[in-house]
């Protein structure tokens, strides 16, 4: 089984698990899985985003529909395209979580995040969600930044074609002149860059 099929299988399995836990009111199990993934990101990178996250899995559908229809995503509003947006989104997330803990009222935070991620991707590039609005992504970026492993570009083999940058849903490919590198904090390990690279110079190492 190649990596793409293995990744798809992983995404389908975890999406099914997420829906089962959600329907049975056992979402705390999923939260535990996320916390473990956050610790694991220190060693393996943000594998949760690329291989487990149900939001990322479902976001592929609107991306695919837009690609097939030949439509173009709207430009991200300048108000949202700021570092403070990420902090504000995380703050709202923690505030809702604290409210739920204090009052004992169960708020549909996770389902709301799923709907928001998918709905926004119908109109805007996926990077809006991944880089600015997803609270889980913000938390994972903190540990992913210090990961011991991740996708790297072998500079001597890179032909600077930009194919990796074009397919990255998180805008994690950084250019410095003709040189390309991957921002580990924002890399989702979705593996799209490795599949798009014509010279095969992007490796997980």
């Amino acid at each position: 089984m190649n990596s793409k099929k293995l990744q798809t299988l992983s995404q389908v399995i975890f999406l099914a698990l997420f829906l089962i836990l959600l329907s049975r009111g056992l979402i705390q199990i999923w939260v535990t899985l996320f916390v473990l993934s956050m610790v694991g990101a220190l060693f393996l990178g943000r594998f949760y985003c690329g291989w487990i996250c149900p939001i990322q899995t479902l976001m592929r559908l609107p991306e695919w529909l837009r690609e097939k229809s030949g439509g173009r995503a709207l430009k991200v509003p300048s108000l949202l395209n700021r570092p403070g947006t990420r902090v504000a989104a995380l703050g709202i997330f923690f505030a809702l979580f604290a409210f739920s803990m204090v009052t004992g009222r169960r708020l549909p935070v996770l389902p709301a995040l799923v709907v928001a991620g998918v709905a926004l991707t119908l109109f805007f590039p996926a990077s809006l969600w991944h880089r600015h609005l997803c609270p889980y992504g913000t938390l994972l970026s903190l540990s992913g930044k210090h990961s011991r492993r991740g996708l790297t570009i072998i500079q001597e083999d890179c032909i600077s074609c930009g194919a990796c940058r074009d397919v990255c849903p998180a805008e994690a490919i950084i250019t410095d002149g003709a040189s390309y590198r991957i921002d580990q904090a924002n890399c989702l390990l979705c593996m799209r860059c490795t599949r798009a690279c014509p010279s095969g110079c992007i490796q997980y190492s």
Side-chain angles (χ1 to χ4, degrees):
M1 183 181 294
N2 60 39
S3 63
K4 186 175 183 179
K5 291 182 178 178
L6 182 62
Q7 184 181 29
T8 300
L9 178 61
S10 173
Q11 290 172 330
V12 170
I13 290 174
F14 281 105
L15 175 60
L17 175 62
F18 173 77
L19 294 175
I20 291 172
L21 294 175
L22 187 64
S23 65
R24 296 186 178 182
L26 299 174
I27 206 63
Q28 64 272 18
I29 296 178
W30 190 266
V31 173
T32 301
L33 173 63
F34 172 77
V35 172
L36 292 175
S37 299
M38 195 174 165
V39 175
L42 289 168
F43 306 94
L44 304 174
R46 291 174 56 172
F47 63 91
Y48 174 89
C49 297
W51 295 73
I52 297 176
C53 179
I55 305 177
Q56 157 74 353
T57 300
L58 292 173
M59 284 172 63
R60 294 301 303 272
L61 178 59
E63 285 185 286
W64 179 82
L65 289 173
R66 187 167 59 242
E67 180 182 335
K68 290 298 180 181
S69 66
R72 298 186 63 180
L74 299 175
K75 185 178 180 180
V76 176
S78 58
L79 180 64
L80 298 178
N81 197 15
R82 298 176 180 177
T85 303
R86 172 175 272 190
V87 177
L90 183 62
I92 293 173
F93 173 76
F94 278 130
L96 292 174
F97 181 77
F99 176 81
S100 180
M101 293 292 292
V102 172
T103 63
R105 297 179 61 181
R106 291 189 176 183
L107 301 177
V109 177
L110 271 179
L113 289 176
V114 173
V115 172
V118 174
L120 285 170
T121 310
L122 286 170
F123 307 100
F124 297 98
S127 59
L128 171 61
W129 180 256
H130 293 309
R131 289 188 68 92
H132 301 294
L133 298 179
C134 179
Y136 296 106
T138 299
L139 292 173
L140 285 166
S141 70
L142 300 177
S143 52
K145 181 179 181 179
H146 304 286
S147 176
R148 296 185 178 183
R149 296 180 64 87
L151 290 175
T152 56
I153 299 175
I154 302 174
Q155 296 299 324
E156 55 266 30
D157 295 332
C158 179
I159 60 176
S160 302
C161 65
C164 56
R165 181 186 56 194
D166 293 340
V167 299
C168 181
E171 298 180 355
I173 310 294
I174 300 174
T175 59
D176 181 14
S179 178
Y180 288 71
R181 67 180 178 86
I182 299 176
D183 178 9
Q184 298 299 330
N186 289 303
C187 176
L188 309 178
L189 289 183
C190 65
M191 315 306 288
R192 295 190 205 181
C193 58
T194 62
R195 296 170 189 136
C197 179
S199 61
C201 69
I202 303 177
Q203 299 180 0
Y204 180 73
S205 62

